[in-house]
Amino acid sequence: MPTIDLDHLVQPDRVHRSVYTDPEIFDLEMAQIFEAAWVYCGHESQVKEPGQFQTLQIGRQPMVMVRAKDGQIHVLYNRCPHRGVQLCGSHSGNTGSGFVCPYHAWSFHLDGKVRAIPLIQGYEGTNLNTEDPNFSMARAARVDNYRGFVFASLSAQGPSLIEFLGDAKVAFDDMCDRSPVGEVEVVPVCHRVVQQSNWKFFMENQLDALHPSVTHQSTGVSARRVENQIKKTQGSAPLHYHYLSTFASSFDQWDSVQTVNFPHGHGILKAYMGLRPTDPDTLEHEAQLRLAYGEEKAEEYLSRSIHHVLIYPYLSVQSPLQQIRCLRPLGPDKTLSEIWHFRLKGAPEAIYRRAMWYFNLVNSPATMINADDLENWTRAQNGLMSKANDWVSFHRNMGGDTERDGVLYSNNGTSEVVMRNQFKAWRNYMAPAYAKVTVTVTTD
Ligand SMILES: [Fe+2]
């Protein structure tokens, strides 16, 4: 086990470049963070029927989320206990009444328990015992569900899911409460992008209000020009032009948006886009919510100030537009991102279409927004290989934020409190609080 001086690498206003580039630090992150914390597996609607499964990565562990006959959702290690072969070879599908290994046909119930082994008499007199869990598929230590969003932790210790989410659980409340029946359903289409950069760049970027008017200037300015032309000739432009033109807001406008930074590294970028237009579809949706929840509750649900919520260290939830991006780190300089979107059950089709516009215009790999961000992160990864300077600066507005009950509110939208708060959480995870491996930490 390497000796890594965490206090030297992560300081209150700067971090050492090696935390983005070093393979040993990456391995520690996987063990201490991703294989210990609650990790998002998927939405329960991805596995509606018994036998339906979805494969995913938790840290370095290949896992499978599956629905059993009794309706329970299990999260199992995707590994045959016989010779190690992965039982599910595709992203999703239906495995029927159980899993069957394609190598030697060992089979397993949907809860992972071994069901049958061919020519079982060949094990007579050996130490193989089908009651021994080592001969069944291993299970994630803990599985829990918040409003249909399924999480698993590979560690038996640590906070409960609800404690882990804390106030950031509003991400899922805000999405589900926009449905008149309080539920969402996944759209079974996922864009998968392999980012050529460390996972932390994405997490930092999500609440980085200084970058949009720089990185996305060309897209924002062009969209604004077209939006204004349409307004001139037709009186109003479709909302999706606004999704892009808002990126051209001034530095001062971005500086007036607030970030809210919670314990565990989670955070919120408050709303900066007008998402309550007065077109007939929106008005119909709002009337539905008033009917379902009453005037007061509906107004509370519709007026939450959220652009997106970060669940550290891997999830960005854009609840008003029903989409999430989930990271699965692959290496210090390689990160898989999954981009999913959802339907609000019972809401007008037009509200779904509105979300899909955002999905396709901003978050999909085909857009100039996502592409420009990816370019920055690749260049940052490459830049941090340079010996020119060992440090990454997070000095902006240091000491200029407001702390209340352990929550940090930025007084300036562009404050780098976001990154400082994420690294505070990172530092806590990397100390051996409730993870399995031992880290030797040396301090000056
Ligand atoms: Fe961006």
Side-chain angles (χ1 to χ4, degrees):
M1 190 56 62
T3 299
I4 294 170
D5 184 348
L6 295 173
D7 288 333
H8 176 64
L9 297 181
V10 176
Q11 299 175 17
D13 55 6
R14 63 176 193 171
V15 300
H16 194 272
R17 66 187 178 94
S18 61
V19 303
Y20 297 89
T21 58
D22 186 285
E24 285 180 348
I25 291 180
F26 177 81
D27 282 346
L28 280 178
E29 289 178 330
M30 294 305 101
Q32 304 284 105
I33 307 177
F34 285 83
E35 292 171 16
W38 286 97
V39 170
Y40 177 64
C41 298
H43 190 262
E44 61 184 10
S45 58
Q46 282 167 252
V47 290
K48 267 189 199 165
E49 305 297 330
Q52 232 181 328
F53 70 85
Q54 177 78 44
T55 55
L56 65 133
Q57 196 84 6
I58 297 185
R60 295 156 298 187
Q61 311 303 318
M63 308 297 291
V64 56
M65 173 174 79
V66 65
R67 173 91 65 175
K69 278 182 198 153
D70 63 0
Q72 208 181 330
I73 294 173
H74 298 282
V75 179
L76 309 169
Y77 286 75
N78 186 13
R79 178 206 193 275
C80 180
H82 180 209
R83 302 274 280 276
V85 171
Q86 293 189 334
L87 292 153
C88 296
S90 48
H91 284 305
S92 59
N94 195 316
T95 186
S97 61
F99 298 99
V100 181
C101 181
Y103 199 6
H104 302 98
W106 282 35
S107 66
F108 306 88
H109 295 288
L110 294 172
D111 64 359
K113 174 102 177 58
V114 66
R115 184 169 71 180
I117 296 175
L119 301 171
I120 188 75
Q121 65 275 19
Y123 291 100
E124 274 170 24
T126 75
N127 285 332
L128 185 141
N129 171 6
T130 53
E131 292 307 310
D132 179 343
N134 282 324
F135 298 105
S136 286
M137 292 169 73
R139 296 180 186 189
R142 293 181 292 167
V143 179
D144 205 352
N145 173 327
Y146 185 72
R147 298 201 71 165
F149 294 83
V150 180
F151 294 76
S153 168
L154 303 187
S155 170
Q157 283 92 47
S160 66
L161 175 62
I162 208 76
E163 286 165 348
F164 164 77
L165 292 173
D167 288 338
K169 71 177 173 20
V170 71
F172 309 108
D173 293 330
D174 189 45
M175 201 191 292
C176 295
D177 291 342
R178 290 168 185 273
S179 148
V181 295
E183 288 175 32
V184 298
E185 184 167 30
V186 77
V187 178
V189 176
C190 176
H191 286 310
R192 288 185 172 83
V193 180
V194 175
Q195 303 170 1
Q196 304 299 322
S197 51
N198 189 272
W199 61 272
K200 293 187 284 298
F201 287 120
F202 174 92
M203 295 306 286
E204 292 167 15
N205 182 86
Q206 290 304 289
L207 267 59
D208 184 325
L210 187 60
H211 92 282
S213 52
V214 184
T215 303
H216 307 303
Q217 184 194 34
S218 57
T219 306
V221 167
S222 310
R224 181 166 287 174
R225 213 171 281 151
V226 179
E227 185 183 32
N228 286 340
Q229 276 169 4
I230 297 173
K231 276 183 187 166
K232 225 182 264 174
T233 53
Q234 297 172 28
S236 66
L239 185 64
H240 46 263
Y241 284 95
H242 179 61
Y243 291 160
L244 295 176
S245 64
T246 196
F247 283 102
S249 303
S250 68
F251 278 143
D252 285 339
Q253 285 168 311
W254 287 111
D255 214 25
S256 68
V257 179
Q258 192 177 49
T259 63
V260 184
N261 302 278
F262 298 117
H264 298 298
H266 310 321
I268 291 176
L269 176 64
K270 286 196 173 179
Y272 61 81
M273 249 181 218
L275 288 180
R276 285 185 72 179
T278 51
D279 61 278
D281 296 321
T282 307
L283 295 180
E284 184 196 339
H285 180 218
E286 294 197 359
Q288 265 188 346
L289 296 186
R290 279 195 290 274
L291 199 65
Y293 300 115
E295 187 74 42
E296 205 176 312
K297 273 282 165 206
E299 193 52 39
E300 179 195 320
Y301 294 162
L302 287 163
S303 58
R304 287 185 179 117
S305 181
I306 292 175
H307 179 67
H308 50 210
V309 185
L310 271 198
I311 310 291
Y312 189 79
Y314 53 80
L315 199 65
S316 172
V317 183
Q318 290 190 277
S319 46
L321 293 154
Q322 305 130 243
Q323 40 216 287
I324 63 168
R325 281 170 287 172
C326 185
L327 300 184
R328 314 281 182 196
L330 304 173
D333 57 357
K334 219 173 267 296
T335 306
L336 170 69
S337 73
E338 297 174 356
I339 311 163
W340 296 95
H341 67 303
F342 298 84
R343 279 178 192 274
L344 301 172
K345 275 192 186 172
E349 180 68 8
I351 300 300
Y352 165 66
R353 297 265 152 212
R354 190 172 87 171
M356 202 164 66
W357 271 105
Y358 194 86
F359 184 73
N360 286 329
L361 280 174
V362 177
N363 286 335
S364 112
T367 98
M368 285 179 286
I369 301 296
N370 187 264
D372 284 343
D373 285 326
L374 289 167
E375 170 80 8
N376 271 350
W377 307 333
T378 305
R379 285 163 67 164
Q381 190 71 38
N382 293 342
L384 291 185
M385 296 307 291
S386 160
K387 291 179 184 169
N389 183 335
D390 275 343
W391 298 98
V392 175
S393 158
F394 296 132
H395 294 84
R396 189 175 186 80
N397 297 112
M398 175 89 181
D401 309 298
T402 302
E403 182 164 3
R404 250 189 337 266
D405 301 328
V407 178
L408 285 157
Y409 299 83
S410 72
N411 292 331
N412 296 81
T414 65
S415 169
E416 286 167 346
V417 63
V418 170
M419 299 79 190
R420 294 190 289 268
N421 189 55
Q422 290 184 8
F423 271 102
K424 197 169 138 192
W426 186 92
R427 177 66 184 77
N428 287 338
Y429 274 117
M430 293 290 271
Y434 53 82
K436 291 173 205 153
V437 302
T438 306
V439 192
T440 308
V441 180
T442 55
T443 51
D444 293 333

